[in-house]
Amino acid sequence: MTTTTEEDRTYGYADLPRLMGLMTGDEKHGPAATSTLDVLWVLYDRVLRVGPHSAGDPERDRFLLSKGHGPMAYYAVLAAKGFVSADLLAGFGSYDSPLGHHPDRVLVPGAEIGSGSLGHGLPLAVGTALGLRAQGLDDPRVWVLVGDAELDEGSNHEAIAFAGPAGLDRLHTVVVDNASATHARPGGIAARFEAAGWSTATVDGRDHAALYEAFTAAHPGRPRAVVARVEPKYL
């Protein structure tokens, strides 16, 4: 008789709450993590052209988790898709675990950047898109997930203002909006991107069909921003 280990198992969306439940501790930033869960699943399950065996392929899509202070959902999805072993989840945040409270690109297979400090991911994504263009790599797409509160950081506005006129149409930003930003934006979050020449959509961040449609819509010559609205962080 053969046995199936945790490492050998395959997982679906229904398994994600259990996988997240394996991660405990005082600094797990549960609301920050759960707000991103559906966006991450749709991206990794249906959109991103990258997997455990192509994580070093130059032609892969790049996914940058800027909202890195709440990585539990990210780790759960990476485990579900085989990038890391689910056996590692229970050690989350411990001294000898590769799964830290902020993702480390050196330690976590599939992680493109070390993240957690707000405001860095979108500028890094712009630089990644420019670098791919300079190398003549036209197929890979760059995706970055940011939180709405990150848009309080000025570095993001500089990146938004640059990417539109630069025509970085391989660049995609997903803003998970859980109403935690300090500063309101006239016309909503999408209006800021639109003013800089981006293609935008605002959708229910729990609706997988709406997310997929927004993620795969054509936007020739323009970068794409999708605002995924979820329940407020503080209720």
Side-chain angles (χ1 to χ4, degrees), residues 28-30 32-34 36 40 65 67-74 101-103:
K28 63 182 182 178
H29 291 282
T34 54
T36 68
L40 286 166
L65 179 70
K67 191 179 170 73
H69 59 288
M72 288 180 16
Y74 183 50
H101 292 124
H102 293 182

Side-chain angles (χ1 to χ4, degrees), residues 5-7 84-91:
T5 67
E6 219 30 52
E7 187 172 2
V84 300
S85 170
D87 293 333
L88 294 173
L89 298 178

Side-chain angles (χ1 to χ4, degrees), residues 1 4-5 8 16-17 40 55 65 94-95 104 120 123 134 159 172 177 189 201-202 226:
M1 182 179 70
T4 301
T5 67
D8 295 330
L16 296 181
L40 286 166
L65 179 70
S94 62
Y95 175 76
D104 186 327
H120 295 330
H172 307 74
D177 179 10
I189 292 173
T202 299
V226 176

Side-chain angles (χ1 to χ4, degrees), residues 28-95:
K28 63 182 182 178
H29 291 282
T34 54
S35 69
T36 68
L37 186 62
D38 296 275
V39 165
L40 286 166
W41 180 255
V42 173
L43 282 172
Y44 273 92
D45 190 54
R46 302 177 63 186
V47 177
L48 291 173
R49 297 175 301 186
V50 65
H53 303 297
S54 61
D57 188 336
E59 296 291 340
R60 73 189 183 280
D61 285 347
R62 273 71 167 174
F63 173 78
L64 283 61
L65 179 70
S66 188
K67 191 179 170 73
H69 59 288
M72 288 180 16
Y74 183 50
Y75 293 155
V77 171
L78 289 180
K81 292 300 180 182
F83 288 86
V84 300
S85 170
D87 293 333
L88 294 173
L89 298 178
F92 166 70
S94 62
Y95 175 76

Side-chain angles (χ1 to χ4, degrees), residues 64-206:
L64 283 61
L65 179 70
S66 188
K67 191 179 170 73
H69 59 288
M72 288 180 16
Y74 183 50
Y75 293 155
V77 171
L78 289 180
K81 292 300 180 182
F83 288 86
V84 300
S85 170
D87 293 333
L88 294 173
L89 298 178
F92 166 70
S94 62
Y95 175 76
D96 58 350
S97 173
L99 306 182
H101 292 124
H102 293 182
D104 186 327
R105 64 177 296 274
V106 177
L107 300 177
V108 181
E112 296 282 355
I113 60 171
S115 59
S117 297
L118 298 181
H120 295 330
L122 182 50
L124 286 169
V126 169
T128 301
L130 284 170
L132 291 170
R133 175 187 283 182
Q135 296 175 71
L137 294 172
D138 299 324
D139 289 333
R141 299 167 299 180
V142 180
W143 294 80
V144 57
L145 190 158
V146 306
D148 62 315
E150 283 193 76
L151 298 182
D152 291 342
E153 303 289 340
S155 56
N156 284 306
H157 292 279
E158 294 180 14
I160 293 168
F162 175 85
L168 296 180
D169 58 2
R170 308 308 287 169
L171 174 64
H172 307 74
T173 299
V174 185
V175 183
V176 173
D177 179 10
N178 64 355
S180 60
T182 302
H183 305 297
R185 294 168 187 83
I189 292 173
R192 173 66 187 93
F193 288 87
E194 290 170 2
W198 290 57
S199 166
T200 68
T202 299
V203 299
D204 181 345
R206 301 301 186 191

